[in-house]
Amino acid sequence: MPNGPSVYNSVCDRFGLEEQHRSKLFWATVLGTPVLLWALSSRSKAKNKPDTHINAFFKDKSAVRAPSAQQPKRKGTGFHSFLKEVPQAHRDATSFGAFLKGPASAAAVVSSNAPSQQASKGPKASDVVISVLFGTEYGFSKEVAERVAAAVTACGPYRVKLLDMADHADGLDLSKEQAVIAVCSTQGDGVAPTEAREFCDWLGSDAAPALPSIPFAVCALGDKSYVHFCACGKQLDSRFESLGAKRFADRVDVHKEDLPAIDRWLSGVTSALQALQLQTFQETGGVVGDAAESAAAKPKRWGKSRPFRGQVVAVEGLCNLASEDDKDTIRVEIDLGKSGLQYTPGDALGVYPLNCNQAVEELLQVLGQEGHQQVSCPSWHYQDHDEQAQSSDIPRQLPLQEALVKCYDLRSPKPELLQLLFEHMPAPAQAASKHGDSNGYSSQDTSALSNGNGHHTDGSSTGMNGNSQNSNGHSKPANGHSHAAKTNGHSHAAETNGHSHTAEAKGHSSNDNGNDSHSSQNGNSSKKPVIDVDGHADGISQDEANQQATELQDILKDEVEAYLDKRHIIDILHDFSGSHPPLATLLSCLRPLQPRLYSISSSQLEHPTHVQITVAVVKYVALGRNRIGVASTFLKERMQVGDHVPVYVAKNPDFRLPKDLGTPIIMVGPGTGLAPFRSFMQERIHSQQSSGLQLGQSVLYFGCRHSDQDYLYGPQLQQWADEGRLTLFTAFSRQQAQKVYVQDRLRESGKLVWQLLQEGAHFYVCGDAAHMAGSVEQALLHIIQHHQEDGDTLSAEQYLEALRQQERYQRDVWF
C-alpha cells in the first residue's frame, strides 16, 4: 500500500502542479477537510429536527397546553419598538407585523382556504398604511374584511393591517391611524358579536381616545328579519363620528350575504380612499399606531379561535325511547381541567364537532378524490395545541379526508357554489344556455363571491344545540336550538344579526348541519377529463350536460335561496354532476364547520372544573333522505367518555340571574330550553347554602310531550319542588286528548305571576322563538292587562317594555 506523500505527489504530477504550489494545496486540504465534514454533519442534523409542520399537530390529539404566560412588558411603545421586540412566533399572519418579516412573511390579505401568500419586503417608504377592523361571530365579517384588504391593496400604494376586535378587549388606540375601515355584524336584537363585545363596550366608554379627523368608513352586516337591523355597525359609525373621526365613505347596511351590495360599497370606498391626502410610512416616522403591538403583546385566551380540549366525563341519556320518532336528549359533562375557564349561569358552551366519516366518504366518492391527498388547512380553522407556534410562511397541510371531517361545513351551501358549478360545466353545455346575472351573481362576480373564504355571512350557520337569540339583543346558545349558534344543531348561514336560522332539529331541513345518510354513487373523478374524446361530459351525455346547465342557469336567476334551502353539498354535486371544478376552488366555496353553542346546564358552585350541557339529538328526513345533526350525533354516537373535544365559553351577559338572592324569578323553558334554568337553580341553591341568606321564590314552567318519556331532569326538578325550593308547573302536551303547553299553564297561574312581578321578580324565557316565545309573551301581556287597573293593551305593552328596560324580562330564544 502506498504511503500518503507518494500518493499526494503522484496526484500533483498527474495534474502538472508546479512545486511551489504543492505545499499551499496540501495545507488547504488539511485545514479545509474538517470544516467540510462539520458542515455535512450539521446538514444531516437539521434534517432530523422535530417536525413542526401542521401534520405533527394532528398526530398528537391528547396533549393540551395552557395559555402561554404573559410576555414581559416592552419598554418602547412605538411601532418600531414592536418590530424589534415581538418574537416571530407571536406575530399574526394578517397583522402589520407580518409585513416586516421580509420575504418569509405572510401577506396581510390571506385567502381563507389557501396557505399564506408571501409578501415582498416590509412597507416601503411610499406605502400608506390602512387599518381594517372587524368584529365577527361566525366568520363573514372577517371574510368581508379580507375582501376590503384585497381591494384596498390593489387600488394604490396601500398596506393593510387586519385587526380583530376580539384581540383588543381592553381597547385599541386608533388615534394614530391613517384611515380606519370597520366591518361588523350584529347579534341578537342589536348587540356586538360575542368576542367583539368587550371592544365595542370600551369604544363606547369614556376610555376611548379622541379620533380627530381620522378618516373612517363602516360596513354593517345584519338581518332585516330582526328589529335592530345592523345596529352594531350603526353604533360604530355613530361613535367614530362622535369621537371626531371624519367619514370618508357612507356606511352600508348589508342584509345577510349580499356580496354584490358589499362590492358596490367597496368600489366607492376605494375611490374615496384614493382621494384622501394621507401620509406615507416614511412621513409618519414609521409609527402607524400601536394596534399590532398591543395585539401581539397579549397571549390569546381560550376562545372560539383557540378552544380548549376538554375531556368528556359523562354522556347520559335523559329520555325513555319507545320508537324511532321519540325525541332523544342527552346530558354531556366535560372536564375543563386546568384551563381556568370560568362561566356564569346563562352562558353557553361552544363545541366544535366533527363531520361523520360516512358523509365524508360519500362526498369523496362523488368528487372522485382520494382522501389521503394533502390539501391546505384553511387559515380560518381554529388554533389547537401548538398550532399557534407555526410559522405563518409554512403552508399547513393535512389529508383531504381530515379537512372535510374537521374544517368544512358539508350541509350549508354558499350561493357562489352554484356559480362555480355553472362556470365549470363543459363549454358546449354553457353555450347551450344563456349565462344569467341572477341574484346579482354574474360571471363577473364569481371571484368576489368565493373570495377563497367559505365563511358564513355574519350570523350564519352555526347553531347547534346552541345558539339562541336572546331577546335582550344577545345571540346565545339555546341548547339544541340554533339561532345563531345556539341551537342544538340548527344552523343557518348568515352572520346577520347573529342568528342561525336552520336548526339541527327535527323538521328543520334548511342548512341543517345534518349528515346525509344516503349513498352517493354517481360522482365522477376529477382526475378524468371534463370532456371525453366524443365531446361529451365525463359520465353523462351532452344532452344531460346541457339540461343541467339550463337548470342551473334558471336557479341562478331567481331561485338560489329556495333551491339551497334543504340541500347539502352532496345533493348539489349530484344534481350537477356534469360540472368538475378544481378541488381547491370547490373547497374555497365551502363554509367553515362552525362550533355549536349549547346553554350551560350546570353551576361551577356544584363542580369548579366541570361543565354540563343538554343536547337534543337531531335526526330527520329531508328531500326523501335521512339526515342527522352533525354536532348532536357527534356527542351522542361518535364521542366516547375519555375523549377530548374542543370547547370554549361563550358569554351571555344579557341572560343573568338577579344579584339579590331574595329576588323572585319566573322561568319558562320547555324541552332543552330548561338547560339554563337548571344552572340557575343550582347556582341559587348553593349560594343560599353558603351565605345563609333568604332565597326568593323560584317558579318554573316546563313542558314536554310525556311525563314518562322526555321529562328532562324530572326527578331532580321534583326533588327541588318537594323541598320547597321550586314552584313547578308542568305541561305534558301529548299526555291527554287536548294538548297543553307552557303558555296555558302560565295563564292558569296568572295571579301568582302578577304578584311576583309586583314584588320585583325577573321573568325569563328560553326555547323556540318561532312559536313558543311569542305565545308566552302574549300570555304574559294578557296577565298584565288583566291585573292592571286601566287594563288596556297599550299600557300592558308599556309595562312589559319597562320590564325589558330594567333587565327583568330576558329571553334566550332561537328559530
Side-chain angles (χ1 to χ4, degrees), residues 430-473:
Q430 291 193 48
S433 64
K434 293 182 180 180
H435 192 213
D437 180 8
S438 64
N439 267 2
Y441 300 117
S442 69
S443 59
Q444 297 176 347
D445 292 325
T446 306
S447 62
L449 284 172
S450 60
N451 196 28
N453 282 335
H455 288 291
H456 282 70
T457 135
D458 260 286
S460 89
S461 137
T462 175
M464 118 194 187
N465 220 23
N467 251 17
S468 82
Q469 156 184 339
N470 223 14
S471 153
N472 295 12

Tab-separated table of all heavy atoms in Angstrom, residues 430-473:
chain	number	residue	atom	x	y	z
A	430	GLN	N	-72.487	25.176	-21.573
A	430	GLN	CA	-72.634	26.600	-21.264
A	430	GLN	C	-73.170	27.353	-22.474
A	430	GLN	O	-73.996	28.253	-22.344
A	430	GLN	CB	-71.290	27.197	-20.846
A	430	GLN	CG	-70.798	26.701	-19.493
A	430	GLN	CD	-69.639	27.539	-18.994
A	430	GLN	OE1	-69.699	28.753	-19.014
A	430	GLN	NE2	-68.585	26.873	-18.544
A	431	ALA	N	-72.677	26.970	-23.638
A	431	ALA	CA	-73.116	27.650	-24.855
A	431	ALA	C	-74.593	27.403	-25.115
A	431	ALA	O	-75.276	28.227	-25.731
A	431	ALA	CB	-72.286	27.178	-26.051
A	432	ALA	N	-75.089	26.260	-24.647
A	432	ALA	CA	-76.481	25.909	-24.886
A	432	ALA	C	-77.440	26.701	-24.015
A	432	ALA	O	-78.641	26.682	-24.222
A	432	ALA	CB	-76.685	24.407	-24.662
A	433	SER	N	-76.915	27.370	-23.040
A	433	SER	CA	-77.776	28.173	-22.165
A	433	SER	C	-77.189	29.563	-22.035
A	433	SER	O	-75.982	29.750	-22.130
A	433	SER	CB	-77.887	27.521	-20.788
A	433	SER	OG	-76.622	27.507	-20.166
A	434	LYS	N	-78.011	30.522	-21.817
A	434	LYS	CA	-77.525	31.882	-21.654
A	434	LYS	C	-77.147	32.087	-20.199
A	434	LYS	O	-77.929	31.798	-19.307
A	434	LYS	CB	-78.598	32.887	-22.068
A	434	LYS	CG	-78.904	32.851	-23.555
A	434	LYS	CD	-79.942	33.893	-23.908
A	434	LYS	CE	-80.253	33.866	-25.395
A	434	LYS	NZ	-81.274	34.872	-25.759
A	435	HIS	N	-75.973	32.637	-19.992
A	435	HIS	CA	-75.487	32.835	-18.628
A	435	HIS	C	-76.213	34.004	-18.001
A	435	HIS	O	-76.036	35.137	-18.388
A	435	HIS	CB	-73.981	33.100	-18.672
A	435	HIS	CG	-73.361	33.033	-17.328
A	435	HIS	ND1	-72.297	33.805	-16.958
A	435	HIS	CD2	-73.670	32.285	-16.253
A	435	HIS	CE1	-71.965	33.532	-15.715
A	435	HIS	NE2	-72.779	32.622	-15.282
A	436	GLY	N	-77.060	33.741	-17.003
A	436	GLY	CA	-77.844	34.812	-16.401
A	436	GLY	C	-77.126	35.501	-15.271
A	436	GLY	O	-76.321	34.913	-14.592
A	437	ASP	N	-77.444	36.767	-15.114
A	437	ASP	CA	-76.875	37.540	-13.997
A	437	ASP	C	-77.931	37.612	-12.921
A	437	ASP	O	-78.559	38.614	-12.708
A	437	ASP	CB	-76.491	38.928	-14.477
A	437	ASP	CG	-75.909	39.747	-13.362
A	437	ASP	OD1	-75.677	39.177	-12.288
A	437	ASP	OD2	-75.692	40.939	-13.557
A	438	SER	N	-78.150	36.489	-12.217
A	438	SER	CA	-79.241	36.417	-11.310
A	438	SER	C	-78.824	36.682	-9.902
A	438	SER	O	-77.756	36.333	-9.496
A	438	SER	CB	-79.799	35.040	-11.353
A	438	SER	OG	-78.856	34.169	-10.902
A	439	ASN	N	-79.744	37.243	-9.161
A	439	ASN	CA	-79.462	37.490	-7.752
A	439	ASN	C	-78.176	38.258	-7.589
A	439	ASN	O	-77.527	38.162	-6.575
A	439	ASN	CB	-79.315	36.161	-7.011
A	439	ASN	CG	-80.626	35.764	-6.430
A	439	ASN	OD1	-81.605	36.459	-6.622
A	439	ASN	ND2	-80.652	34.682	-5.724
A	440	GLY	N	-77.792	38.957	-8.611
A	440	GLY	CA	-76.555	39.703	-8.500
A	440	GLY	C	-75.327	38.857	-8.711
A	440	GLY	O	-74.221	39.313	-8.620
A	441	TYR	N	-75.506	37.562	-8.992
A	441	TYR	CA	-74.340	36.703	-9.150
A	441	TYR	C	-74.071	36.486	-10.628
A	441	TYR	O	-74.566	35.564	-11.243
A	441	TYR	CB	-74.581	35.359	-8.455
A	441	TYR	CG	-74.825	35.502	-7.009
A	441	TYR	CD1	-76.035	35.135	-6.445
A	441	TYR	CD2	-73.845	36.037	-6.182
A	441	TYR	CE1	-76.247	35.290	-5.087
A	441	TYR	CE2	-74.060	36.188	-4.832
A	441	TYR	CZ	-75.266	35.814	-4.300
A	441	TYR	OH	-75.473	35.958	-2.954
A	442	SER	N	-73.324	37.319	-11.226
A	442	SER	CA	-72.970	37.165	-12.629
A	442	SER	C	-71.612	36.516	-12.716
A	442	SER	O	-70.922	36.359	-11.728
A	442	SER	CB	-72.923	38.532	-13.301
A	442	SER	OG	-71.831	39.261	-12.820
A	443	SER	N	-71.241	36.164	-13.920
A	443	SER	CA	-69.938	35.530	-14.084
A	443	SER	C	-68.828	36.449	-13.637
A	443	SER	O	-67.773	36.017	-13.218
A	443	SER	CB	-69.735	35.136	-15.544
A	443	SER	OG	-69.814	36.281	-16.366
A	444	GLN	N	-69.068	37.745	-13.709
A	444	GLN	CA	-68.046	38.690	-13.299
A	444	GLN	C	-67.898	38.729	-11.790
A	444	GLN	O	-66.915	39.221	-11.264
A	444	GLN	CB	-68.404	40.090	-13.816
A	444	GLN	CG	-68.426	40.160	-15.341
A	444	GLN	CD	-68.883	41.527	-15.812
A	444	GLN	OE1	-69.398	42.311	-15.039
A	444	GLN	NE2	-68.696	41.795	-17.082
A	445	ASP	N	-68.925	38.243	-11.093
A	445	ASP	CA	-68.898	38.327	-9.639
A	445	ASP	C	-68.285	37.104	-8.985
A	445	ASP	O	-68.166	37.035	-7.779
A	445	ASP	CB	-70.330	38.485	-9.093
A	445	ASP	CG	-70.938	39.819	-9.464
A	445	ASP	OD1	-70.201	40.819	-9.509
A	445	ASP	OD2	-72.137	39.839	-9.709
A	446	THR	N	-67.937	36.122	-9.788
A	446	THR	CA	-67.531	34.858	-9.191
A	446	THR	C	-66.390	34.988	-8.205
A	446	THR	O	-66.436	34.453	-7.113
A	446	THR	CB	-67.111	33.872	-10.297
A	446	THR	OG1	-68.175	33.784	-11.225
A	446	THR	CG2	-66.821	32.526	-9.710
A	447	SER	N	-65.355	35.693	-8.567
A	447	SER	CA	-64.221	35.788	-7.663
A	447	SER	C	-64.599	36.502	-6.389
A	447	SER	O	-64.146	36.155	-5.301
A	447	SER	CB	-63.065	36.531	-8.346
A	447	SER	OG	-63.450	37.849	-8.679
A	448	ALA	N	-65.470	37.467	-6.518
A	448	ALA	CA	-65.881	38.187	-5.318
A	448	ALA	C	-66.719	37.309	-4.445
A	448	ALA	O	-66.669	37.377	-3.230
A	448	ALA	CB	-66.677	39.428	-5.720
A	449	LEU	N	-67.522	36.448	-5.069
A	449	LEU	CA	-68.398	35.598	-4.283
A	449	LEU	C	-67.625	34.612	-3.451
A	449	LEU	O	-67.882	34.421	-2.277
A	449	LEU	CB	-69.340	34.829	-5.237
A	449	LEU	CG	-70.470	35.658	-5.816
A	449	LEU	CD1	-71.189	34.855	-6.875
A	449	LEU	CD2	-71.437	36.092	-4.738
A	450	SER	N	-66.675	33.953	-4.069
A	450	SER	CA	-65.968	32.931	-3.315
A	450	SER	C	-64.881	33.519	-2.454
A	450	SER	O	-64.767	33.204	-1.309
A	450	SER	CB	-65.377	31.900	-4.274
A	450	SER	OG	-64.489	32.515	-5.154
A	451	ASN	N	-64.093	34.397	-3.026
A	451	ASN	CA	-63.037	35.051	-2.258
A	451	ASN	C	-62.202	34.068	-1.490
A	451	ASN	O	-61.523	34.408	-0.556
A	451	ASN	CB	-63.664	36.051	-1.286
A	451	ASN	CG	-62.616	36.997	-0.770
A	451	ASN	OD1	-61.637	37.256	-1.449
A	451	ASN	ND2	-62.799	37.510	0.404
A	452	GLY	N	-62.312	32.798	-1.850
A	452	GLY	CA	-61.486	31.820	-1.173
A	452	GLY	C	-61.826	31.623	0.257
A	452	GLY	O	-61.097	31.037	0.997
A	453	ASN	N	-62.960	32.101	0.678
A	453	ASN	CA	-63.164	32.039	2.108
A	453	ASN	C	-64.148	31.032	2.593
A	453	ASN	O	-63.942	30.392	3.581
A	453	ASN	CB	-63.560	33.395	2.638
A	453	ASN	CG	-62.380	34.260	2.739
A	453	ASN	OD1	-61.293	33.758	2.871
A	453	ASN	ND2	-62.528	35.531	2.662
A	454	GLY	N	-65.268	30.941	2.049
A	454	GLY	CA	-66.197	29.964	2.550
A	454	GLY	C	-66.700	30.273	3.916
A	454	GLY	O	-67.005	29.385	4.684
A	455	HIS	N	-66.853	31.537	4.259
A	455	HIS	CA	-67.369	31.859	5.592
A	455	HIS	C	-68.859	32.083	5.530
A	455	HIS	O	-69.389	32.534	4.563
A	455	HIS	CB	-66.724	33.132	6.124
A	455	HIS	CG	-65.314	32.914	6.491
A	455	HIS	ND1	-64.912	32.151	7.541
A	455	HIS	CD2	-64.174	33.365	5.930
A	455	HIS	CE1	-63.608	32.154	7.627
A	455	HIS	NE2	-63.141	32.876	6.656
A	456	HIS	N	-69.519	31.894	6.654
A	456	HIS	CA	-70.919	32.202	6.735
A	456	HIS	C	-71.039	33.693	6.732
A	456	HIS	O	-70.177	34.385	7.154
A	456	HIS	CB	-71.477	31.798	8.080
A	456	HIS	CG	-71.715	30.366	8.166
A	456	HIS	ND1	-70.739	29.450	8.212
A	456	HIS	CD2	-72.844	29.674	8.196
A	456	HIS	CE1	-71.252	28.269	8.312
A	456	HIS	NE2	-72.507	28.396	8.299
A	457	THR	N	-72.163	34.149	6.335
A	457	THR	CA	-72.357	35.553	6.439
A	457	THR	C	-72.478	35.809	7.886
A	457	THR	O	-72.964	35.005	8.603
A	457	THR	CB	-73.641	35.933	5.785
A	457	THR	OG1	-74.248	36.791	6.635
A	457	THR	CG2	-74.471	34.836	5.525
A	458	ASP	N	-72.094	36.929	8.342
A	458	ASP	CA	-72.051	37.135	9.769
A	458	ASP	C	-73.353	36.768	10.377
A	458	ASP	O	-74.274	37.521	10.379
A	458	ASP	CB	-71.763	38.572	10.055
A	458	ASP	CG	-70.356	38.691	10.364
A	458	ASP	OD1	-69.982	38.293	11.433
A	458	ASP	OD2	-69.609	39.179	9.551
A	459	GLY	N	-73.406	35.690	10.979
A	459	GLY	CA	-74.606	35.327	11.626
A	459	GLY	C	-75.037	34.063	11.049
A	459	GLY	O	-76.108	33.559	11.222
A	460	SER	N	-74.211	33.432	10.315
A	460	SER	CA	-74.614	32.308	9.626
A	460	SER	C	-74.408	31.060	10.356
A	460	SER	O	-74.078	31.021	11.454
A	460	SER	CB	-73.898	32.290	8.372
A	460	SER	OG	-72.827	31.744	8.300
A	461	SER	N	-74.585	30.010	9.642
A	461	SER	CA	-74.675	28.702	10.121
A	461	SER	C	-73.838	28.380	11.287
A	461	SER	O	-72.696	28.130	11.220
A	461	SER	CB	-74.286	27.834	9.010
A	461	SER	OG	-73.524	26.878	9.306
A	462	THR	N	-74.358	28.317	12.328
A	462	THR	CA	-73.561	27.952	13.434
A	462	THR	C	-74.346	27.181	14.376
A	462	THR	O	-74.072	26.224	14.829
A	462	THR	CB	-73.114	29.173	14.112
A	462	THR	OG1	-72.480	28.752	15.183
A	462	THR	CG2	-74.087	29.993	14.559
A	463	GLY	N	-75.402	27.432	14.733
A	463	GLY	CA	-76.041	26.830	15.785
A	463	GLY	C	-76.005	25.402	15.878
A	463	GLY	O	-76.039	24.680	15.009
A	464	MET	N	-75.917	24.906	16.961
A	464	MET	CA	-76.024	23.508	17.038
A	464	MET	C	-76.492	23.263	18.386
A	464	MET	O	-75.840	23.413	19.270
A	464	MET	CB	-74.679	22.966	16.968
A	464	MET	CG	-74.434	22.324	18.095
A	464	MET	SD	-73.002	21.869	18.548
A	464	MET	CE	-73.286	21.059	19.741
A	465	ASN	N	-77.502	23.072	18.692
A	465	ASN	CA	-77.864	22.975	20.051
A	465	ASN	C	-77.427	24.160	20.666
A	465	ASN	O	-76.986	24.169	21.741
A	465	ASN	CB	-77.085	21.915	20.708
A	465	ASN	CG	-78.015	21.278	21.566
A	465	ASN	OD1	-79.134	21.345	21.345
A	465	ASN	ND2	-77.661	20.690	22.569
A	466	GLY	N	-77.414	25.086	19.996
A	466	GLY	CA	-76.850	26.045	20.618
A	466	GLY	C	-77.160	27.395	20.481
A	466	GLY	O	-77.273	28.007	21.451
A	467	ASN	N	-77.287	28.092	19.452
A	467	ASN	CA	-77.293	29.498	19.654
A	467	ASN	C	-78.633	30.075	19.615
A	467	ASN	O	-79.410	29.820	18.802
A	467	ASN	CB	-76.499	30.155	18.603
A	467	ASN	CG	-75.291	30.626	19.251
A	467	ASN	OD1	-74.946	30.212	20.322
A	467	ASN	ND2	-74.641	31.489	18.631
A	468	SER	N	-78.848	30.943	20.508
A	468	SER	CA	-80.140	31.433	20.552
A	468	SER	C	-80.139	32.883	20.455
A	468	SER	O	-79.169	33.536	20.488
A	468	SER	CB	-80.724	31.095	21.842
A	468	SER	OG	-80.319	31.979	22.744
A	469	GLN	N	-81.230	33.400	20.389
A	469	GLN	CA	-81.305	34.791	20.148
A	469	GLN	C	-81.376	35.614	21.381
A	469	GLN	O	-81.582	36.578	21.426
A	469	GLN	CB	-82.513	35.056	19.340
A	469	GLN	CG	-82.946	36.451	19.532
A	469	GLN	CD	-84.186	36.730	18.826
A	469	GLN	OE1	-84.515	36.072	17.957
A	469	GLN	NE2	-84.865	37.701	19.179
A	470	ASN	N	-81.564	35.468	22.385
A	470	ASN	CA	-81.585	36.427	23.439
A	470	ASN	C	-82.258	37.661	23.068
A	470	ASN	O	-81.770	38.527	22.442
A	470	ASN	CB	-80.193	36.805	23.774
A	470	ASN	CG	-80.118	36.848	25.188
A	470	ASN	OD1	-80.967	36.375	25.829
A	470	ASN	ND2	-79.138	37.410	25.712
A	471	SER	N	-83.464	37.736	23.534
A	471	SER	CA	-84.270	38.860	23.235
A	471	SER	C	-83.676	40.129	23.693
A	471	SER	O	-84.024	41.177	23.273
A	471	SER	CB	-85.548	38.611	23.924
A	471	SER	OG	-86.204	39.645	24.253
A	472	ASN	N	-82.774	40.086	24.599
A	472	ASN	CA	-82.163	41.324	25.046
A	472	ASN	C	-81.175	41.816	24.036
A	472	ASN	O	-80.418	42.702	24.305
A	472	ASN	CB	-81.413	41.090	26.341
A	472	ASN	CG	-82.357	40.734	27.403
A	472	ASN	OD1	-83.481	40.458	27.124
A	472	ASN	ND2	-81.933	40.759	28.615
A	473	GLY	N	-81.159	41.184	22.926
A	473	GLY	CA	-80.234	41.639	21.934
A	473	GLY	C	-78.977	40.868	21.945
A	473	GLY	O	-77.992	41.259	21.418
